[in-house]
Amino acid sequence: MSERLVPGDSAPAFSLPNAEGGTTALADFSGRRVIVYFYPAAMTPGCAKQACDFRDSLASLQDAGYQVLGISPDPVAKLEKFAARDSLTFPLLSDADHAVALAYGAWGEKKNYGKIYEGLIRSTLVVDEAGKVAVAQYNVRATGHVAKLRRDLLLDAV
């Protein structure tokens, strides 16, 4: 199992293919705050719910100075379909070899119906302007996660 990151750690650099046919790197957002969320599989109900929640909150997140990046092990072609189907307007990145998920502690042992296997752990990390991890949340739920993250970032009045 990969080691989980904690606030204050340096965010591992990455450059990954995106759904638009180019590449997106963490360095592209240097000096800005970035929400990096890892999800197991495009086009599935839970991942679609989470992605649509980010989509629906994107304007207010961007107004607060945050960029959103979604990362999954899916191939670019599947990410293209996912973005088109659900009108996702933030970058979706393909981490086919799991290297970035491993570096961020989002790949490891999972249990499902009594079976143990390796897979992507639904996780969200916020990287600050200096490239440090500000928030690290692992094993998050697809439903309600974006609302919780907004509260944690103090974007919603309590």
Side-chain angles (χ1 to χ4, degrees), residues 105-151:
W107 187 268
E109 187 176 281
K110 295 176 69 166
K111 294 178 186 175
N112 191 22
Y113 299 109
K115 291 191 172 213
I116 298 173
Y117 62 97
E118 291 280 309
L120 192 126
I121 299 163
R122 191 180 303 274
S123 308
T124 299
L125 294 97
V126 178
V127 179
D128 69 16
E129 299 90 339
K132 301 285 185 182
V133 174
V135 174
Q137 300 175 340
Y138 294 93
N139 293 309
V140 301
R141 295 192 174 279
T143 302
H145 172 61
V146 175
K148 180 187 180 315
L149 180 64
R150 291 177 57 80
R151 287 190 303 274

Side-chain angles (χ1 to χ4, degrees), residues 29-59:
F29 306 98
S30 180
R32 296 171 54 196
R33 295 181 289 186
V34 183
I35 297 168
V36 180
Y37 86 96
F38 293 87
Y39 61 99
M43 310 290 279
T44 59
C47 293
K49 172 67 175 145
Q50 185 179 23
C52 289
D53 284 351
F54 272 114
R55 177 201 64 205
D56 295 346
S57 290
L58 190 59

Side-chain angles (χ1 to χ4, degrees), residues 9-115:
D9 285 348
S10 291
F14 62 80
S15 181
L16 292 170
N18 63 43
E20 291 79 39
T23 59
T24 300
L26 183 61
D28 296 342
F29 306 98
S30 180
R32 296 171 54 196
R33 295 181 289 186
V34 183
I35 297 168
V36 180
Y37 86 96
F38 293 87
Y39 61 99
M43 310 290 279
T44 59
C47 293
K49 172 67 175 145
Q50 185 179 23
C52 289
D53 284 351
F54 272 114
R55 177 201 64 205
D56 295 346
S57 290
L58 190 59
S60 64
L61 289 168
Q62 289 176 334
D63 287 348
Y66 293 93
Q67 172 63 47
V68 175
L69 302 175
I71 300 177
S72 78
D74 295 303
V76 169
K78 189 171 181 183
L79 297 179
E80 289 172 359
K81 289 178 187 173
F82 188 38
R85 185 192 78 178
D86 291 323
S87 302
L88 303 176
T89 56
F90 54 87
L92 298 179
L93 312 180
S94 174
D95 183 26
D97 66 0
H98 325 300
V100 175
L102 276 165
Y104 276 76
W107 187 268
E109 187 176 281
K110 295 176 69 166
K111 294 178 186 175
N112 191 22
Y113 299 109
K115 291 191 172 213

